[in-house]
Amino acid sequence: MERSACLLFRCTDRVGIIAELVLFFRDSNVSISRFEEYTESRYFFARLEWRGAHPWMTTEDFDEAFQAVADTFDDVSFRAHFFEQPQKLGLFSSKEPHTLIEAVNKCEAGDYPNTEICFLIANSKEVERHAQRYGIPFYYVKTFKDPQRHEPVQLEIIRRHSPDVIGLARYMKVLTKEFIDQAGCQIVNIHHSFLPSFVGARPYEMAYERGVKLIGATSHFVIPALDQGPIIEQGVIRVEPGDSVERMKRTGRDVEKKVFASALGKTLQHKTIMYDNKTIVFN
Amino acid sequence: MERSACLLFRCTDRVGIIAELVLFFRDSNVSISRFEEYTESRYFFARLEWRGAHPWMTTEDFDEAFQAVADTFDDVSFRAHFFEQPQKLGLFSSKEPHTLIEAVNKCEAGDYPNTEICFLIANSKEVERHAQRYGIPFYYVKTFKDPQRHEPVQLEIIRRHSPDVIGLARYMKVLTKEFIDQAGCQIVNIHHSFLPSFVGARPYEMAYERGVKLIGATSHFVIPALDQGPIIEQGVIRVEPGDSVERMKRTGRDVEKKVFASALGKTLQHKTIMYDNKTIVFN
Amino acid sequence: MERSACLLFRCTDRVGIIAELVLFFRDSNVSISRFEEYTESRYFFARLEWRGAHPWMTTEDFDEAFQAVADTFDDVSFRAHFFEQPQKLGLFSSKEPHTLIEAVNKCEAGDYPNTEICFLIANSKEVERHAQRYGIPFYYVKTFKDPQRHEPVQLEIIRRHSPDVIGLARYMKVLTKEFIDQAGCQIVNIHHSFLPSFVGARPYEMAYERGVKLIGATSHFVIPALDQGPIIEQGVIRVEPGDSVERMKRTGRDVEKKVFASALGKTLQHKTIMYDNKTIVFN
Amino acid sequence: MERSACLLFRCTDRVGIIAELVLFFRDSNVSISRFEEYTESRYFFARLEWRGAHPWMTTEDFDEAFQAVADTFDDVSFRAHFFEQPQKLGLFSSKEPHTLIEAVNKCEAGDYPNTEICFLIANSKEVERHAQRYGIPFYYVKTFKDPQRHEPVQLEIIRRHSPDVIGLARYMKVLTKEFIDQAGCQIVNIHHSFLPSFVGARPYEMAYERGVKLIGATSHFVIPALDQGPIIEQGVIRVEPGDSVERMKRTGRDVEKKVFASALGKTLQHKTIMYDNKTIVFN
């Protein structure tokens, strides 16, 4: 793996930001190979990629060097990622396996850069065979109405594996604020509706009841409020006349798979920035 | 125009319906040229089309002949349409002209069968030029907070023209139950969001605020509850990173146009059946 | 599995067909639960489904009873399928596993009715692990420039397993007319372009060269002429500015998977009729 | 209209381009408000936008100032556009009006920046009413098998109006190399198929014959070879079972409209760069 890296950057918009970012890299004798920027609301967002040698041994080195530039902006936040550093993806699921299988296969096909799946935690033993097929460490953790009974067990597993990203592959349980804080990494969920429509446990039933002509899926970062987190990706598919809830669920799986796998991919490629409970997703 | 017609039919589902419908037409010496049926929830729905001569001079004749068959089903409702009978489409709009223009051009292009636009009622004089360009009778009716001040004027115009269908081309005012009842025809609205998300007056602003990745449009039959009517058609379009509300509105217009024109077309082609605040839309 | 079945029917279009089909079933005391018909070109096509008891023990029984009706039509062809009869799906692949994995998982998820995968034949040992994971009999058959060197081996395996449908999951070899004839079942291929564009071995390279803005995939029944068979399903996905051939291939996989799985599903659900090197695909 | 502008830039890719472009603007005391770049094949492409005051009175001034930087790159080409400068769009059509109407309405709605339609040239008098409705100068120019009989007349009209862009709204005639050279501006065509499939005069008939499941439209810059020019935008729409050629044409119009209007918009917003008979289209 050659040395190459990217920077995700956000600050309050003002004139001159692009020039200052570019100059920092030029002054460090680093050539930017990819530069993508957006202005949205009061913010400026950028993602810069560079390939080849660079003067920073670790992301901490980079942070230290970049801090002087960062200090000239308002409300700034940034993160650098060195692509040579392997990433660990942890998965949660309940018994519906389709989004899980899609993520695992994308990972095996090399669609997620330099990524290894470090665990599957499930509250159903039915999905264990999928973990076994791919040699993924599997943990059955029964879930309860009271999250205090299962979250500590899950957090212990998380601590042992230190995932960089957690994907909730139709895990279908609300996470507490404490869990999210202590997990200490980005958590990507797939919700089986076109949010903000049909929040909660039975979105296909609700979509059927309302008589919508398209059903959808939404992948978002998890926050304590149910299905309210910053949206990363959405997709829809057409309902045919006469479709039952059962057929809608079956059809909907294909959208769920695609949206979840895409959102995980964007996250693992460091192409998402969160702000104001929204996301900027780079190309 | 040759004699040809269609029947829209709904009843409680049970075995044997298809055979009985088909036999009625055979016994009347009428050949069905198109038969489309769906079973959904507890209902059976069908649309039958026939071409060429038939024994019924008027739809009343048909109703009389068919009633005996209809009586053998539960919770039955049906409507026949003779295609040689011209249809009148009335349009309402406020100042945003894009859905209006689309409907007018579809009509001129012959996409709506045997249909003439009989009036445009608008609460903005800005759209008058569009009516003039196409020779459509134009009525400027100012609207007020209190619908009693404008609905009687509108109803008077409706009575004069007797439209078969009314299209609300971004008219953006709530209709009272009394108005809907007295208008006496199907009323098709276009709402500029993917319902049930973002009901009300500022859907693009709400979509922007929530950070959705697709925006949509929904065409539905109008009932007194705002944006709650049976959905006829929906569409979505992708939001690009950095899109402002303004750009979302601009992009969204293309979906609104397409969805509205399609829903009007399905209605004017007698391809929609309402039930349980939903619709079956035939192909 | 309850007794239920479907009939796929095609004949030269004329008046009265619908009534005659419906009457045959009524006279057999069988209630049609689903009736879907299309008229296209000079043909009439229908698919009828019935549930519950029926007087025919085997499809041969049905054929015998139905033949008298069939004889009253021109250029007629029909096939009945009893859903209680299990189906066998055989798969071919080379080393690209994504369409194979999708088909296998759809099958395991119950998306293909009453279907079992009876073998995977591949000219690459790399995909063997996918067969093993799902307990599918795997046959490595090396392929050569001269099909006489491998087709007899493959046909021997086919004869042993008698598949009802064969799916070519990116198998990427031309089949001879003799092979197709002797295989004796429908063969579904996935081609990684939007046919008829980019026939042959390097469609993504050709799409890249031509600068198209959407890339696609096409699933079709196999005939001896390369990529010329009747199309069952097609899909497309957007190319982003700056996409390399490599990225197009990666993006394209998702469409290939979806289109192949859908075409296999339609075939296994007896929802396709071939005519004039085209297909009618039922809903 | 405030002073603002954009630069379209292309050169052979190498390290350091981004920094040099950005520095040029910084050294000119101009703040870049939007920077979008792509690397594709051996090329680097960028579009830069700036808002507010700048030191260049004319694009010639800019060219002169920028030339020194440009000279440091290989195989460079660039064009600056000052947004305060009005643009003129000329339209050609035959009798099918739908793409024409869409373009005209987009222009009136302000979707094309600072743009006026300067003429409509048609070989059918049927579309004259559309020009009249919008007050667009209309020229009826009969076309012949021998382009020498009509192209000189058309070129004379073009010279009189000096359009910045010409849109062929289903004009359906091949243009000679001489015409294209002498027109002296970008010419955007809409072809009613998903190119490279179905080149030529009867694409819907060919699509019908081949039995494709999606039909499409392609907008491209015109070059002398028929339907071979660099593609700007493409779209597709689903074919329903039983669709006749006539219905495909009707359905296809909506895609043609959308694709043509979008391609015109991208061209008029200076968001396209041609290279190797392909285009880069900026967001």
Side-chain angles (χ1 to χ4, degrees):
Chain A
M1 170 113 353
E2 65 162 344
R3 295 215 75 198
S4 59
C6 72
L7 171 68
L8 287 169
F9 177 87
R10 191 201 80 187
C11 69
T12 302
D13 193 28
R14 67 154 165 82
V15 297
I17 303 173
I18 293 173
E20 288 176 55
L21 289 178
V22 167
L23 279 176
F24 165 78
F25 284 90
R26 207 189 72 137
D27 294 347
S28 311
N29 283 313
V30 169
S31 265
I32 298 166
S33 55
R34 188 87 185 81
F35 184 92
E36 193 176 346
E37 56 81 20
Y38 299 101
T39 305
E40 216 284 274
S41 175
R42 65 185 185 280
Y43 296 113
F44 171 89
F45 303 89
R47 183 177 184 278
L48 294 89
E49 216 170 275
W50 58 98
R51 297 189 191 282
H54 59 215
W56 309 294
M57 294 310 295
T58 63
T59 51
E60 288 71 29
D61 285 353
F62 176 86
D63 291 358
E64 200 184 311
F66 189 68
Q67 194 63 52
V69 182
D71 288 344
T72 67
F73 301 108
D74 284 336
D75 196 7
V76 73
S77 83
F78 66 91
R79 266 182 306 149
H81 300 274
F82 290 5
F83 296 148
E84 75 254 24
Q85 195 169 323
Q87 297 184 97
K88 286 184 285 179
L89 170 62
L91 293 172
F92 277 62
S93 90
S94 55
K95 76 180 177 187
E96 285 262 26
H98 55 284
T99 50
L100 169 68
I101 292 169
E102 185 77 5
V104 168
N105 279 299
K106 286 272 178 191
C107 201
E108 190 178 69
D111 287 350
Y112 299 153
N114 204 8
T115 301
E116 184 196 18
I117 297 177
C118 56
F119 63 74
L120 170 60
I121 295 175
N123 56 9
S124 156
K125 284 176 179 163
E126 282 183 48
V127 294
E128 181 165 12
R129 71 177 185 284
H130 301 290
Q132 283 173 339
R133 282 167 175 168
Y134 290 83
I136 298 164
F138 178 79
Y139 300 92
Y140 169 69
V141 181
K142 195 173 173 181
T143 50
F144 301 87
K145 207 170 165 190
D146 173 9
Q148 293 310 319
R149 297 182 60 189
H150 56 262
E151 288 196 342
V153 186
Q154 296 168 335
L155 281 169
E156 181 50 38
I157 300 165
I158 290 173
R159 262 177 232 115
R160 203 176 318 148
H161 290 283
S162 307
D164 297 283
V165 174
I166 289 173
L168 306 183
R170 294 268 273 166
Y171 170 58
M172 310 286 290
K173 300 290 290 183
V174 182
L175 307 184
T176 63
K177 185 174 184 320
E178 293 66 41
F179 182 92
I180 296 168
D181 289 346
Q182 290 180 40
C185 68
Q186 288 184 310
I187 305 176
V188 174
N189 186 39
I190 177 73
H191 181 71
H192 40 315
S193 86
F194 188 82
L195 289 176
S197 294
F198 313 133
V199 166
R202 295 167 61 77
Y204 286 117
E205 284 79 358
M206 293 161 84
Y208 173 84
E209 208 54 52
R210 180 62 186 92
V212 293
K213 298 301 183 190
L214 302 169
I215 50 174
T218 303
S219 207
H220 60 91
F221 289 119
V222 174
I223 61 169
L226 180 63
D227 299 333
Q228 303 294 321
I231 293 170
I232 308 165
E233 177 60 311
Q234 299 189 288
V236 292
I237 199 165
R238 190 155 283 276
V239 173
E240 299 296 332
D243 275 2
S244 60
V245 172
E246 197 43 55
R247 189 159 169 178
M248 283 167 66
K249 284 182 183 174
R250 215 169 262 280
T251 314
R253 281 183 206 155
D254 282 337
V255 198
E256 294 169 36
K257 276 159 59 173
K258 201 177 148 192
V259 166
F260 181 59
S262 163
L264 270 187
K266 291 292 187 181
T267 307
L268 290 162
Q269 293 168 71
H270 315 294
K271 293 193 168 178
T272 62
I273 297 180
M274 275 194 252
Y275 73 104
D276 291 356
N277 206 41
K278 300 201 259 188
T279 65
I280 285 286
V281 179
F282 293 90
N283 182 29
Chain B
M1 170 114 352
E2 65 163 345
R3 295 214 76 197
S4 59
C6 73
L7 170 69
L8 287 168
F9 177 87
R10 191 202 79 187
C11 69
T12 302
D13 194 27
R14 66 157 165 80
V15 298
I17 304 173
I18 293 173
E20 288 176 54
L21 289 178
V22 167
L23 279 176
F24 166 77
F25 285 91
R26 208 188 71 136
D27 294 347
S28 310
N29 284 312
V30 169
S31 265
I32 297 166
S33 56
R34 187 88 186 83
F35 183 93
E36 194 177 345
E37 57 80 19
Y38 299 101
T39 306
E40 215 285 274
S41 175
R42 66 186 185 281
Y43 297 112
F44 171 89
F45 302 90
R47 183 178 184 277
L48 295 89
E49 215 170 278
W50 59 98
R51 298 188 191 282
H54 60 215
W56 310 295
M57 294 310 295
T58 64
T59 51
E60 288 71 30
D61 285 355
F62 176 87
D63 291 358
E64 202 183 310
F66 189 69
Q67 194 63 52
V69 182
D71 288 344
T72 67
F73 301 109
D74 283 336
D75 196 6
V76 75
S77 84
F78 67 90
R79 266 182 306 150
H81 300 274
F82 289 5
F83 296 148
E84 74 254 23
Q85 195 168 322
Q87 296 184 97
K88 286 185 286 180
L89 170 63
L91 293 172
F92 277 61
S93 91
S94 55
K95 75 180 181 188
E96 286 262 25
H98 54 285
T99 51
L100 169 67
I101 292 169
E102 186 76 4
V104 167
N105 279 299
K106 286 271 178 191
C107 201
E108 191 177 68
D111 287 350
Y112 299 152
N114 203 7
T115 301
E116 184 197 18
I117 298 177
C118 57
F119 63 73
L120 171 61
I121 293 175
N123 57 9
S124 156
K125 286 178 179 160
E126 281 183 49
V127 294
E128 183 166 11
R129 70 176 186 284
H130 300 291
Q132 282 174 339
R133 282 167 176 168
Y134 290 83
I136 298 164
F138 178 79
Y139 300 93
Y140 169 69
V141 180
K142 196 173 172 183
T143 50
F144 300 88
K145 208 172 166 187
D146 174 9
Q148 293 310 320
R149 297 183 60 189
H150 56 262
E151 288 195 343
V153 186
Q154 296 168 336
L155 282 169
E156 181 49 38
I157 299 165
I158 290 172
R159 265 177 229 113
R160 203 176 319 150
H161 290 283
S162 307
D164 296 284
V165 174
I166 288 174
L168 305 183
R170 293 268 274 165
Y171 169 60
M172 311 285 291
K173 302 287 292 182
V174 181
L175 308 183
T176 63
K177 187 175 182 322
E178 292 67 39
F179 181 93
I180 296 167
D181 290 346
Q182 291 180 40
C185 68
Q186 287 184 313
I187 305 176
V188 175
N189 186 40
I190 177 73
H191 181 71
H192 40 313
S193 86
F194 188 80
L195 289 175
S197 295
F198 313 133
V199 166
R202 296 166 61 77
Y204 286 117
E205 285 79 358
M206 292 159 84
Y208 173 84
E209 208 55 50
R210 181 61 186 92
V212 293
K213 298 301 184 191
L214 301 169
I215 49 175
T218 303
S219 207
H220 60 90
F221 289 118
V222 174
I223 61 169
L226 180 64
D227 300 333
Q228 303 294 321
I231 293 170
I232 309 165
E233 177 60 311
Q234 298 190 287
V236 292
I237 200 166
R238 190 154 284 277
V239 173
E240 299 296 334
D243 275 2
S244 60
V245 172
E246 196 45 54
R247 187 159 171 180
M248 285 166 66
K249 285 182 181 175
R250 215 168 262 280
T251 313
R253 282 184 207 156
D254 282 337
V255 199
E256 294 170 35
K257 278 159 58 172
K258 201 177 148 192
V259 166
F260 182 58
S262 163
L264 270 186
K266 291 292 187 182
T267 307
L268 290 161
Q269 293 168 71
H270 315 293
K271 293 193 168 176
T272 62
I273 296 180
M274 275 194 253
Y275 72 104
D276 291 357
N277 206 40
K278 301 200 257 188
T279 65
I280 284 287
V281 179
F282 293 90
N283 183 27
Chain C
M1 172 112 353
E2 65 162 345
R3 295 215 76 198
S4 59
C6 72
L7 171 68
L8 287 168
F9 177 86
R10 191 202 79 187
C11 69
T12 303
D13 195 26
R14 65 155 165 79
V15 298
I17 304 173
I18 294 173
E20 289 176 53
L21 289 178
V22 167
L23 281 175
F24 165 78
F25 285 91
R26 207 188 71 136
D27 293 347
S28 310
N29 284 314
V30 169
S31 265
I32 299 166
S33 56
R34 187 86 187 84
F35 184 92
E36 193 176 345
E37 57 81 18
Y38 299 101
T39 306
E40 215 286 273
S41 176
R42 65 185 185 282
Y43 297 111
F44 171 89
F45 303 90
R47 183 177 184 278
L48 295 88
E49 217 170 275
W50 59 97
R51 298 187 191 283
H54 59 215
W56 310 295
M57 293 311 295
T58 64
T59 51
E60 287 71 29
D61 285 354
F62 176 87
D63 291 357
E64 201 183 310
F66 189 69
Q67 194 62 51
V69 182
D71 288 344
T72 67
F73 302 108
D74 284 335
D75 197 7
V76 74
S77 83
F78 66 92
R79 266 181 307 150
H81 299 274
F82 290 5
F83 296 148
E84 75 253 25
Q85 195 169 324
Q87 297 184 96
K88 286 185 285 180
L89 170 63
L91 293 172
F92 278 62
S93 90
S94 56
K95 76 180 178 186
E96 286 261 25
H98 54 283
T99 51
L100 168 68
I101 292 169
E102 186 76 4
V104 168
N105 278 299
K106 286 271 178 191
C107 201
E108 191 177 69
D111 287 350
Y112 299 153
N114 202 9
T115 301
E116 183 196 20
I117 297 177
C118 57
F119 64 74
L120 171 61
I121 294 175
N123 57 9
S124 157
K125 286 177 179 161
E126 281 183 48
V127 295
E128 181 166 12
R129 70 177 185 284
H130 301 290
Q132 283 173 338
R133 282 168 176 168
Y134 289 82
I136 298 165
F138 178 80
Y139 301 91
Y140 169 69
V141 180
K142 195 174 171 182
T143 51
F144 301 88
K145 209 174 163 188
D146 174 9
Q148 294 308 320
R149 298 182 62 188
H150 55 262
E151 288 196 344
V153 186
Q154 296 169 335
L155 282 168
E156 180 51 38
I157 300 165
I158 290 173
R159 263 176 230 115
R160 203 178 317 150
H161 290 284
S162 306
D164 296 283
V165 174
I166 289 174
L168 305 183
R170 294 268 275 167
Y171 170 60
M172 310 286 290
K173 300 290 289 183
V174 182
L175 307 184
T176 63
K177 185 174 182 323
E178 293 66 41
F179 181 93
I180 296 168
D181 289 346
Q182 291 180 40
C185 67
Q186 287 184 313
I187 305 177
V188 175
N189 186 39
I190 176 73
H191 181 71
H192 40 313
S193 86
F194 188 80
L195 289 176
S197 294
F198 314 132
V199 166
R202 296 168 60 78
Y204 286 118
E205 285 79 358
M206 293 160 82
Y208 173 83
E209 209 55 50
R210 181 61 186 92
V212 293
K213 299 301 184 190
L214 301 169
I215 49 175
T218 303
S219 206
H220 61 90
F221 289 119
V222 174
I223 61 170
L226 180 63
D227 299 333
Q228 303 293 321
I231 293 170
I232 309 166
E233 176 60 311
Q234 299 190 287
V236 292
I237 199 166
R238 190 154 284 274
V239 173
E240 299 297 333
D243 275 3
S244 60
V245 172
E246 198 43 57
R247 187 157 171 182
M248 284 167 65
K249 284 182 183 175
R250 217 168 261 278
T251 314
R253 281 183 206 156
D254 282 337
V255 198
E256 294 170 36
K257 278 159 58 174
K258 200 177 148 193
V259 166
F260 182 60
S262 162
L264 271 187
K266 291 291 187 181
T267 306
L268 290 161
Q269 292 167 73
H270 315 294
K271 294 194 167 176
T272 63
I273 297 180
M274 275 195 253
Y275 72 104
D276 291 356
N277 207 40
K278 300 202 258 188
T279 66
I280 285 286
V281 179
F282 293 90
N283 182 26
Chain D
M1 172 116 349
E2 66 161 346
R3 296 214 76 198
S4 59
C6 73
L7 171 68
L8 287 169
F9 176 88
R10 190 202 81 188
C11 69
T12 302
D13 194 27
R14 66 156 165 79
V15 298
I17 304 173
I18 293 172
E20 288 176 54
L21 289 177
V22 166
L23 278 176
F24 166 76
F25 285 90
R26 207 189 73 135
D27 294 347
S28 309
N29 284 312
V30 169
S31 265
I32 298 165
S33 56
R34 188 85 186 82
F35 184 92
E36 193 176 346
E37 57 80 19
Y38 299 100
T39 305
E40 214 286 272
S41 174
R42 64 183 186 282
Y43 296 112
F44 171 89
F45 302 89
R47 185 178 184 276
L48 295 89
E49 217 170 275
W50 58 98
R51 298 189 190 284
H54 59 214
W56 309 295
M57 294 310 295
T58 64
T59 51
E60 288 71 30
D61 284 355
F62 176 86
D63 291 358
E64 202 184 309
F66 188 68
Q67 195 63 51
V69 182
D71 288 344
T72 66
F73 301 107
D74 283 335
D75 197 6
V76 75
S77 83
F78 66 91
R79 268 182 304 150
H81 300 275
F82 290 4
F83 296 148
E84 75 254 24
Q85 197 169 321
Q87 297 184 96
K88 285 185 285 180
L89 170 62
L91 293 172
F92 277 61
S93 92
S94 54
K95 75 180 180 188
E96 284 261 28
H98 54 284
T99 51
L100 168 68
I101 292 168
E102 186 76 4
V104 168
N105 279 298
K106 285 272 178 191
C107 201
E108 191 178 68
D111 286 351
Y112 299 152
N114 203 8
T115 301
E116 184 197 19
I117 297 176
C118 57
F119 64 74
L120 171 61
I121 294 175
N123 57 9
S124 157
K125 285 177 180 161
E126 281 184 47
V127 294
E128 183 166 11
R129 70 175 187 284
H130 300 291
Q132 282 173 340
R133 281 167 177 168
Y134 289 84
I136 298 165
F138 178 79
Y139 300 91
Y140 169 68
V141 180
K142 195 173 171 182
T143 50
F144 301 88
K145 209 174 163 188
D146 174 8
Q148 293 309 319
R149 296 183 61 188
H150 55 262
E151 288 196 344
V153 187
Q154 295 169 336
L155 282 169
E156 180 50 40
I157 299 165
I158 290 173
R159 265 177 229 113
R160 204 177 318 151
H161 289 283
S162 305
D164 296 285
V165 174
I166 289 174
L168 306 183
R170 292 269 274 169
Y171 169 60
M172 310 286 290
K173 301 290 289 183
V174 181
L175 307 183
T176 63
K177 186 175 182 320
E178 293 66 41
F179 181 92
I180 296 168
D181 289 347
Q182 290 179 40
C185 67
Q186 288 184 312
I187 305 177
V188 175
N189 186 40
I190 177 73
H191 181 71
H192 40 313
S193 87
F194 187 81
L195 289 176
S197 294
F198 313 132
V199 166
R202 296 167 61 77
Y204 287 117
E205 284 80 359
M206 293 160 83
Y208 173 84
E209 209 53 51
R210 180 62 187 91
V212 292
K213 298 301 184 191
L214 300 170
I215 49 175
T218 303
S219 206
H220 61 89
F221 289 118
V222 175
I223 61 169
L226 180 63
D227 300 333
Q228 303 295 321
I231 294 170
I232 309 166
E233 177 61 312
Q234 300 190 286
V236 292
I237 199 165
R238 190 154 283 276
V239 173
E240 299 296 333
D243 275 2
S244 60
V245 173
E246 198 45 55
R247 187 158 172 181
M248 283 167 65
K249 284 182 182 173
R250 216 168 262 281
T251 313
R253 281 184 207 155
D254 282 338
V255 198
E256 294 171 34
K257 277 159 59 173
K258 200 177 148 192
V259 166
F260 181 59
S262 162
L264 271 187
K266 290 292 188 182
T267 307
L268 291 162
Q269 293 168 70
H270 315 294
K271 293 192 168 177
T272 63
I273 296 180
M274 276 194 253
Y275 72 103
D276 291 356
N277 206 41
K278 301 201 258 187
T279 65
I280 285 286
V281 179
F282 293 90
N283 183 26

